[in-house]
Amino acid sequence: MVMLAPEPMESLKLLVHAAADRLLPVRRLLVLAGAGCSADAGIPTFRDDGGWWREYRPEDLATPEAFAQDPELVWTWYRERRSQIRAAQPHGGQRSLALLQKHFYDGQVLVATTNEDDLLERAGIEPVLHLHGSIFDTTCSASCGWPGGKDTGDSMASHRCPCCGAPTRPGSVWYGESLPVGLLDAIQAFDPDGCLVIGSSNIVQPVAGIPIEMALARQPVVEVNPQATPLSDLALHLPGPAAQVLPALVDLLTSATMRDQRRRLS
Ligand SMILES: [Zn+2]
């Protein structure tokens, strides 16, 4: 008898079931959401084709040097992206993560992202660790100690710092800058025993190293990404878009069957 290979949709479905099984024993699940997760909501990733803004690459604009040279150009880029993000809505995959955080039986879910948008918060996830900062943060370009803050209405963009008079700048983490203090410590303190990585290229350190180390330590790691990444061979890779795969995975992870199986394990 000739065995036919499953259709792509069918094989993705089987992989989603395998991923739910893989995450069955996890009690502290770390979710890492990358650019591909927001791309499904229409936010450009800046890594794919067409990931340019006008004639600039993000590497040309998201640096202290670029800001010092032409702050208005950098602010224009940020204003446009802020307005694009304000107009976007969280997709079903992001909303399903909020459900997972609330209904992951006898377990906890910590969500961290390298994305600067607020779609995960608007999907209902609390808290969200923004490893590269938030696009709505505004701070002082001279780092004088002014705490800055959220600026959803752009009222602090292109202004002067109220403490020292230096120009205000976006509070995002730029190329060559350190991650906000305490966030990697918070992940370490959470002590995850499983990881779900969504739409991340898995090449930007130090965040990319987290799931790779976990996979090498034989902890369950599931990756959702239409493309293969350096993590894919080490993890259980679901090759589909977050908006499509996550609702199906979360459905299984929060099902009565899964709850009973998890209860039996504990
Ligand atoms: Zn200042």
PDB file of all heavy atoms in Angstrom, residues 140-146 161-166, ligand 1:
ATOM      1  N   CYS A 140      15.344  61.542  27.556  1.00  0.00           N
ATOM      2  CA  CYS A 140      16.273  62.650  27.308  1.00  0.00           C
ATOM      3  C   CYS A 140      17.475  62.136  26.533  1.00  0.00           C
ATOM      4  O   CYS A 140      18.070  61.130  26.903  1.00  0.00           O
ATOM      5  CB  CYS A 140      16.716  63.227  28.653  1.00  0.00           C
ATOM      6  SG  CYS A 140      18.101  64.379  28.501  1.00  0.00           S
ATOM      7  N   SER A 141      17.866  62.834  25.456  1.00  0.00           N
ATOM      8  CA  SER A 141      18.984  62.353  24.635  1.00  0.00           C
ATOM      9  C   SER A 141      20.317  62.506  25.371  1.00  0.00           C
ATOM     10  O   SER A 141      21.310  61.901  24.970  1.00  0.00           O
ATOM     11  CB  SER A 141      19.033  63.104  23.299  1.00  0.00           C
ATOM     12  OG  SER A 141      19.228  64.480  23.521  1.00  0.00           O
ATOM     13  N   ALA A 142      20.348  63.309  26.455  1.00  0.00           N
ATOM     14  CA  ALA A 142      21.596  63.471  27.201  1.00  0.00           C
ATOM     15  C   ALA A 142      21.638  62.558  28.425  1.00  0.00           C
ATOM     16  O   ALA A 142      22.582  62.645  29.214  1.00  0.00           O
ATOM     17  CB  ALA A 142      21.750  64.934  27.631  1.00  0.00           C
ATOM     18  N   SER A 143      20.629  61.704  28.584  1.00  0.00           N
ATOM     19  CA  SER A 143      20.550  60.784  29.728  1.00  0.00           C
ATOM     20  C   SER A 143      20.810  61.504  31.052  1.00  0.00           C
ATOM     21  O   SER A 143      21.614  61.062  31.871  1.00  0.00           O
ATOM     22  CB  SER A 143      21.558  59.631  29.604  1.00  0.00           C
ATOM     23  OG  SER A 143      21.481  59.041  28.349  1.00  0.00           O
ATOM     24  N   CYS A 144      20.141  62.641  31.261  1.00  0.00           N
ATOM     25  CA  CYS A 144      20.416  63.450  32.450  1.00  0.00           C
ATOM     26  C   CYS A 144      19.751  62.879  33.700  1.00  0.00           C
ATOM     27  O   CYS A 144      19.979  63.352  34.806  1.00  0.00           O
ATOM     28  CB  CYS A 144      19.935  64.884  32.236  1.00  0.00           C
ATOM     29  SG  CYS A 144      18.128  65.028  32.248  1.00  0.00           S
ATOM     30  N   GLY A 145      18.903  61.870  33.520  1.00  0.00           N
ATOM     31  CA  GLY A 145      18.210  61.315  34.681  1.00  0.00           C
ATOM     32  C   GLY A 145      16.728  61.624  34.667  1.00  0.00           C
ATOM     33  O   GLY A 145      15.967  61.092  35.478  1.00  0.00           O
ATOM     34  N   TRP A 146      16.286  62.476  33.736  1.00  0.00           N
ATOM     35  CA  TRP A 146      14.848  62.726  33.598  1.00  0.00           C
ATOM     36  C   TRP A 146      14.180  61.403  33.230  1.00  0.00           C
ATOM     37  O   TRP A 146      14.615  60.740  32.286  1.00  0.00           O
ATOM     38  CB  TRP A 146      14.603  63.774  32.499  1.00  0.00           C
ATOM     39  CG  TRP A 146      13.149  64.028  32.211  1.00  0.00           C
ATOM     40  CD1 TRP A 146      12.204  64.431  33.115  1.00  0.00           C
ATOM     41  CD2 TRP A 146      12.470  63.900  30.955  1.00  0.00           C
ATOM     42  NE1 TRP A 146      10.986  64.562  32.491  1.00  0.00           N
ATOM     43  CE2 TRP A 146      11.115  64.238  31.174  1.00  0.00           C
ATOM     44  CE3 TRP A 146      12.873  63.529  29.670  1.00  0.00           C
ATOM     45  CZ2 TRP A 146      10.169  64.218  30.148  1.00  0.00           C
ATOM     46  CZ3 TRP A 146      11.932  63.508  28.646  1.00  0.00           C
ATOM     47  CH2 TRP A 146      10.589  63.859  28.896  1.00  0.00           C
ATOM     48  N   CYS A 161      14.193  68.436  26.823  1.00  0.00           N
ATOM     49  CA  CYS A 161      14.087  67.783  28.127  1.00  0.00           C
ATOM     50  C   CYS A 161      13.789  68.846  29.191  1.00  0.00           C
ATOM     51  O   CYS A 161      14.489  69.860  29.265  1.00  0.00           O
ATOM     52  CB  CYS A 161      15.407  67.080  28.439  1.00  0.00           C
ATOM     53  SG  CYS A 161      15.557  66.550  30.142  1.00  0.00           S
ATOM     54  N   PRO A 162      12.743  68.650  30.028  1.00  0.00           N
ATOM     55  CA  PRO A 162      12.397  69.660  31.029  1.00  0.00           C
ATOM     56  C   PRO A 162      13.459  69.825  32.114  1.00  0.00           C
ATOM     57  O   PRO A 162      13.478  70.839  32.815  1.00  0.00           O
ATOM     58  CB  PRO A 162      11.085  69.141  31.631  1.00  0.00           C
ATOM     59  CG  PRO A 162      10.995  67.712  31.243  1.00  0.00           C
ATOM     60  CD  PRO A 162      11.829  67.521  30.012  1.00  0.00           C
ATOM     61  N   CYS A 163      14.374  68.886  32.258  1.00  0.00           N
ATOM     62  CA  CYS A 163      15.410  68.994  33.295  1.00  0.00           C
ATOM     63  C   CYS A 163      16.670  69.680  32.784  1.00  0.00           C
ATOM     64  O   CYS A 163      17.223  70.552  33.450  1.00  0.00           O
ATOM     65  CB  CYS A 163      15.782  67.610  33.824  1.00  0.00           C
ATOM     66  SG  CYS A 163      14.508  66.904  34.843  1.00  0.00           S
ATOM     67  N   CYS A 164      17.154  69.276  31.589  1.00  0.00           N
ATOM     68  CA  CYS A 164      18.469  69.772  31.168  1.00  0.00           C
ATOM     69  C   CYS A 164      18.430  70.530  29.840  1.00  0.00           C
ATOM     70  O   CYS A 164      19.433  71.108  29.429  1.00  0.00           O
ATOM     71  CB  CYS A 164      19.465  68.617  31.087  1.00  0.00           C
ATOM     72  SG  CYS A 164      19.207  67.549  29.664  1.00  0.00           S
ATOM     73  N   GLY A 165      17.302  70.481  29.141  1.00  0.00           N
ATOM     74  CA  GLY A 165      17.195  71.257  27.904  1.00  0.00           C
ATOM     75  C   GLY A 165      17.705  70.552  26.659  1.00  0.00           C
ATOM     76  O   GLY A 165      17.615  71.092  25.551  1.00  0.00           O
ATOM     77  N   ALA A 166      18.258  69.327  26.808  1.00  0.00           N
ATOM     78  CA  ALA A 166      18.689  68.569  25.620  1.00  0.00           C
ATOM     79  C   ALA A 166      17.451  68.124  24.846  1.00  0.00           C
ATOM     80  O   ALA A 166      16.359  68.049  25.414  1.00  0.00           O
ATOM     81  CB  ALA A 166      19.516  67.363  26.054  1.00  0.00           C
TER      82      ALA A 166
HETATM   83 ZN    ZN B   1      17.742  65.846  30.164  1.00  0.00          ZN
END
